[in-house]
Amino acid sequence: MSLWSRLAELLHCLPGPCALGTFVDGIVETVKSVFGGDPEMRRQVAFSVSMIALSAKMAKADGVVTADEVEAFRQLFVIPEGEAKNVARLYNIARQDVAGFEAYATKLAGLYERGAEIYEDIVDGLFHIAKADGAVHEKELAYLARVAALFGMTSAAFQRIEARHIVPEEGDPYLILGVDRAASDDEVKRHYRRIVSATHPDRLIARGVPPEFIAIATQKLAALNGAYDRIRRQRAFA
């Protein structure tokens, strides 16, 4: 059964008519119970639900949903024709829900282990959507920073993600890579190889990112490679 068919199953299993204000509680408990016996599918559904719900809340926080943001959303969600209504239903319920985004982020964080790498994947995806209209606006950046904090991410981890998405070719390459400027050439090389390995699509899929979302990894790798190349040229090492 496909991810999107399982998402439809999830929506069907939610208690009652998905009353506003209780939706996030219902969806978190339903993901845990319905997919408890299938850890891989549970991780994929949890990631998909998190992305859909938090991007819907980001659209509400920003006040405007542009055509570019909708297109960016669709780039992340390669949705079969017959499954679009399930994603749209979840997105619309989350956007209309009277519960604030902080309640959503806090509840959704309970689907993952504390400090899990998947948090960065989610924030990466949200940045991808936020910057689709050409800029990450002030309200969007504040939203993303708060979500990251509620996920338990450090400010340094959030700054690395921000640097990758906001004019990465002009940003501090050491910040983008997350490596100390005083690190030796060999330390920079080892760090670069380690984070590139962690960003490989197979690693993302293993921790719950569905294959449909590999655009996140592709963009992240491009930013990391660009930062490493700039450091390599500055230091003149092979």
Side-chain angles (χ1 to χ4, degrees):
M1 185 179 293
S2 73
L3 167 65
W4 304 109
S5 296
R6 299 307 296 269
L7 179 59
E9 178 183 342
L10 167 67
L11 291 170
H12 179 72
C13 291
L14 287 173
C18 298
L20 300 182
T22 62
F23 174 69
V24 67
D25 297 287
I27 205 165
V28 168
E29 292 309 312
T30 303
V31 168
K32 290 180 177 179
S33 60
V34 172
F35 304 103
D38 188 345
E40 181 177 356
M41 183 59 71
R42 178 184 181 275
R43 288 193 296 269
Q44 291 191 11
V45 170
F47 178 84
S48 303
V49 165
S50 298
M51 281 297 307
I52 296 169
L54 291 174
S55 62
K57 285 296 185 185
M58 183 168 65
K60 185 174 182 179
D62 184 45
V64 178
V65 182
T66 68
D68 290 329
E69 287 172 336
V70 172
E71 180 57 30
F73 185 83
R74 289 173 176 165
Q75 288 173 6
L76 292 180
F77 291 81
V78 182
I79 308 166
E81 188 68 29
E83 303 290 351
K85 62 182 180 181
N86 294 317
V87 177
R89 180 186 170 202
L90 179 54
Y91 185 92
N92 288 330
I93 292 173
R95 192 166 182 231
Q96 296 171 39
D97 194 341
V98 297
F101 78 88
E102 293 191 347
Y104 265 58
T106 301
K107 290 287 185 180
L108 290 167
L111 291 171
Y112 312 101
E113 295 179 5
R114 190 73 173 172
E117 290 179 309
I118 196 73
Y119 292 136
E120 292 200 20
D121 300 325
I122 294 171
V123 175
D124 258 336
L126 293 173
F127 259 106
H128 174 81
I129 295 169
K131 71 180 183 182
D133 60 355
V136 178
H137 301 286
E138 185 178 347
K139 288 183 179 179
E140 291 172 324
L141 189 58
Y143 172 91
L144 292 165
R146 183 59 181 150
V147 167
L150 291 168
F151 280 168
M153 290 173 54
T154 65
S155 59
F158 179 76
Q159 288 169 6
R160 286 198 300 272
I161 298 175
E162 179 184 359
R164 286 202 303 269
H165 286 277
I166 300 179
V167 199
E169 63 275 11
E170 297 178 9
D172 181 351
Y174 292 91
L175 176 59
I176 292 172
L177 282 183
V179 65
D180 194 295
R181 192 176 296 274
S184 68
D185 292 351
D186 285 341
E187 288 171 335
V188 170
K189 292 176 186 178
R190 287 195 296 271
H191 178 80
Y192 168 72
R193 286 193 289 266
R194 184 168 60 252
I195 60 173
V196 165
S197 175
T199 310
H200 190 280
D202 289 345
R203 294 284 293 274
L204 268 72
I205 290 171
R207 61 180 180 252
V209 179
E212 292 92 339
F213 292 83
I214 296 307
I216 296 174
T218 301
Q219 289 195 357
K220 183 175 179 179
L221 280 172
L224 294 173
N225 289 335
Y228 180 72
D229 284 342
R230 280 194 285 150
I231 293 173
R232 185 173 53 80
R233 289 195 301 269
Q234 290 169 6
R235 294 187 174 207
F237 65 73

